[in-house]
Amino acid sequence: MSEIIEIHGGKPLSGEVFVSGAKNAALPIMLASLLTGEEVVLRNVPNLTDVHLSIHLLEHFGSTVELSRNTLRIQTPRLVATEASYSLVKALRASFWVLGPLLARGGAARVALPGGDVIGARPVDIHLEALAQMGADINVKHGVVMASAPQGLRPAEIDFRFPSVGATHQVLMAAARTPGRTVIRGAAREPEVIALAEFLVAIGAEIEGAGQSTIVVHGKESLHGCDFHLIGDRIEAATYILAVIATRGTARIRGFDPVHLGAFLDLISQMGVKVRNEADGITIIDSSSLHPVDASTGPFPDFATDIQALLMAATTVIDGKSSISEQVFEGRFSHVSELARMGAQISVEGRTAHITGVPKLSGAFVEARDIRAGAALCIAGLAAEGLTQIAEPQHLRRGYADLEQKLRALGARVGKKVTDAEDFMFSGC
Ligand code: UD1
């Protein structure tokens, strides 16, 4: 049996929706809980497949984990394992970040290389060079990173060649439990990095500069428990914002800090969308008259790569020529062919997609190939005439809690259908 999401589009969205806690803050913070033997309580945790996979990973390392509604209680009195297999890391790329906490607390780790995926090659050289500078002895053999630091890691001054989010998380976690002063230059500045740093401070580390390019960590011999509230999910917020814009609606999207949207807020005002920033979200006052836009992704505060596919879906129905350049991940255009099946006019030259807006998309059977590509198809389906069926919705379940309920709160006609495999294959051809 397979599940598909069905959307009857063509209706302007309106109303109010609350986003969940940020998936990309929850994942590193859950891994960082391994740095202490005391209990960590996390609130506003989103109910997502990726969170469940992370719970499974923590249990593998000896944590007891209790999830009740949106509150997670994690305690790891001692590490009972030091390895993460390929099947664990493949299911959840962020699992690779466990290398830093395992090394810092246990002095040894064997973690499978995550490998590339549909959006790009995704190497981990920046992670490994940084941990080596902190004194880890690292060998990569047969697709597994074997790292050890029997005398413990040592503080270091590290320069990143690119502000990798994952590598910044990795070093922040390792440095928090490495006594002394570690400096990261060229660090990622994403809100999720600030969230992780705030968590590490809450468990006892001293950190200055999170959110800036240079971060200084004063690590401690031991860390303690805490009670911590996760930030709202800015990418989920951008998804609902663009769904409202694509349908020419008006709505209030709440539960997040608008500052976390970075350059995306400027882009939507260039597109002619009238918004009001609020303390806990934004209100889209008018999206009836829209202009095309030129956008290029980059590290925060530039336009986020995770919003690229979502913006593209909205521009397919904006009169005129838009262009969107993907500068973070080289292969992040899997949504283009599916949007084209709905009538979108997009041509890709190298890392840039050129979009010529059409008056209407038409609903079609399409396939989600990754989280954001799937969300882009939802946006397109909401704007399209007729029925859109989205196959492989498990990708969406990784990043969107209560997707159908939240879209229905905005007046969308959306549901899910369980089909047998033959129907599914036939419709998918
Ligand atoms: C995180 C996010 C992802 C987001 C991305 C960029 C999570 C779970 N994932 O992914 O949603 O799209 O940040 O904002 O939070 N790179 C290297 N060497 C390295 C590390 C990265 O070359 O050692 C390259 C990558 O291939 C990519 C770029 O740097 O081209 C950005 O990657 P990075 O910032 O590390 O992204 P992730 O942490 O994997």
Side-chain angles (χ1 to χ4, degrees):
M1 302 293 260
S2 306
E3 193 186 87
I4 54 177
I5 292 178
E6 292 196 326
I7 299 174
H8 294 268
K11 183 175 175 246
L13 298 184
S14 65
E16 179 175 86
V17 72
F18 280 82
V19 300
S20 301
K23 168 181 87 76
N24 288 353
L27 302 184
I29 290 172
M30 287 173 73
L31 296 181
S33 73
L34 290 172
L35 292 166
T36 172
E38 294 185 14
E39 187 183 64
V40 162
V41 180
L42 301 181
R43 301 186 192 274
N44 199 28
V45 176
N47 186 9
L48 299 169
T49 322
D50 278 10
V51 166
H52 296 287
L53 286 168
S54 302
I55 292 175
H56 179 58
L57 185 75
L58 292 175
E59 287 171 341
H60 168 78
F61 290 115
S63 312
T64 48
V65 187
E66 198 189 296
L67 176 62
S68 164
R69 289 176 159 269
N70 298 102
T71 300
L72 253 184
R73 289 172 193 278
I74 306 169
Q75 188 161 15
T76 318
R78 62 184 192 91
L79 294 175
V80 300
T82 53
E83 95 298 330
S85 67
Y86 184 54
S87 57
L88 281 173
V89 179
K90 192 172 176 232
L92 180 70
R93 284 190 60 87
S95 311
F96 184 74
W97 303 341
V98 80
L99 196 58
L102 290 182
L103 270 177
R105 181 164 171 193
R110 288 163 66 98
V111 180
L113 282 170
D117 63 15
V118 70
I119 66 174
R122 304 185 83 169
V124 289
D125 55 313
I126 303 173
H127 300 238
L128 300 187
E129 278 165 28
L131 292 173
Q133 274 183 270
M134 294 182 73
D137 181 20
I138 294 180
N139 277 295
V140 183
K141 263 196 204 140
H142 310 299
V144 178
V145 177
M146 286 167 282
S148 65
Q151 314 311 322
L153 293 172
R154 57 171 186 259
E157 302 225 350
I158 300 162
D159 286 283
F160 283 174
R161 68 169 169 80
F162 180 88
S164 156
V165 173
T168 307
H169 288 329
Q170 182 89 268
V171 176
L172 278 177
M173 290 190 272
R177 201 172 156 161
T178 300
R181 180 177 182 269
T182 291
V183 181
I184 313 171
R185 292 195 193 86
R189 299 164 60 194
E190 270 69 2
E192 294 77 14
V193 167
I194 302 177
L196 173 63
E198 286 174 350
F199 171 80
L200 293 170
V201 168
I203 63 173
E206 279 175 53
I207 300 179
E208 295 142 28
Q212 297 165 34
S213 294
T214 301
I215 306 179
V216 180
V217 183
H218 301 274
K220 304 290 168 192
E221 185 77 48
S222 73
L223 299 167
H224 51 73
C226 75
D227 193 317
F228 192 80
H229 191 96
L230 290 177
I231 54 171
D233 196 312
R234 65 192 170 109
I235 310 299
E236 189 192 6
T239 307
Y240 294 118
I241 291 168
L242 284 162
V244 172
I245 292 173
T247 62
R248 308 297 193 267
T250 54
R252 223 170 149 197
I253 318 293
R254 300 180 64 190
F256 72 104
D257 183 344
V259 170
H260 293 171
L261 294 175
F264 172 66
L265 263 186
D266 302 328
L267 278 177
I268 58 174
S269 73
Q270 280 168 36
M271 288 161 71
V273 183
K274 294 196 173 47
V275 299
R276 186 173 59 235
N277 286 3
E278 282 155 28
D280 69 339
I282 71 166
T283 299
I284 300 159
I285 302 162
D286 185 3
S287 64
S288 58
S289 168
L290 299 180
H291 321 298
V293 73
D294 297 316
S296 182
T297 64
F300 191 84
D302 289 351
F303 172 50
T305 172
D306 286 347
I307 310 180
Q308 179 259 109
L310 316 172
L311 179 70
M312 197 181 302
T315 58
T316 62
V317 287
I318 296 176
D319 190 28
K321 291 185 188 301
S322 293
S323 74
I324 303 182
S325 178
E326 174 54 62
Q327 296 300 326
V328 179
F329 290 108
E330 69 276 14
R332 202 163 200 182
F333 279 140
S334 72
H335 43 287
V336 169
S337 57
E338 299 304 284
L339 290 171
R341 300 185 65 244
M342 299 177 70
Q345 286 190 15
I346 307 170
S347 64
V348 177
E349 258 180 288
R351 283 178 170 246
T352 304
H354 300 277
I355 306 112
T356 304
V358 295
K360 274 278 172 211
L361 297 174
S362 62
F365 190 99
V366 288
E367 189 178 298
R369 306 232 166 102
D370 69 55
I371 304 180
R372 308 307 167 191
L377 297 174
C378 278
I379 293 171
L382 291 162
E385 268 172 352
L387 174 66
T388 293
Q389 295 176 301
I390 304 175
E392 310 290 334
Q394 72 277 6
H395 291 293
L396 284 154
R397 309 291 178 217
R398 296 186 55 195
Y400 293 91
D402 307 321
L403 176 69
E404 290 94 326
Q405 291 92 312
K406 289 184 186 178
L407 286 174
R408 281 197 287 269
L410 293 173
R413 289 168 297 179
V414 52
K416 68 177 173 204
K417 187 172 138 189
V418 178
T419 66
D420 66 33
E422 272 180 39
D423 274 357
F424 175 72
M425 281 167 68
F426 175 72
S427 322
C429 289

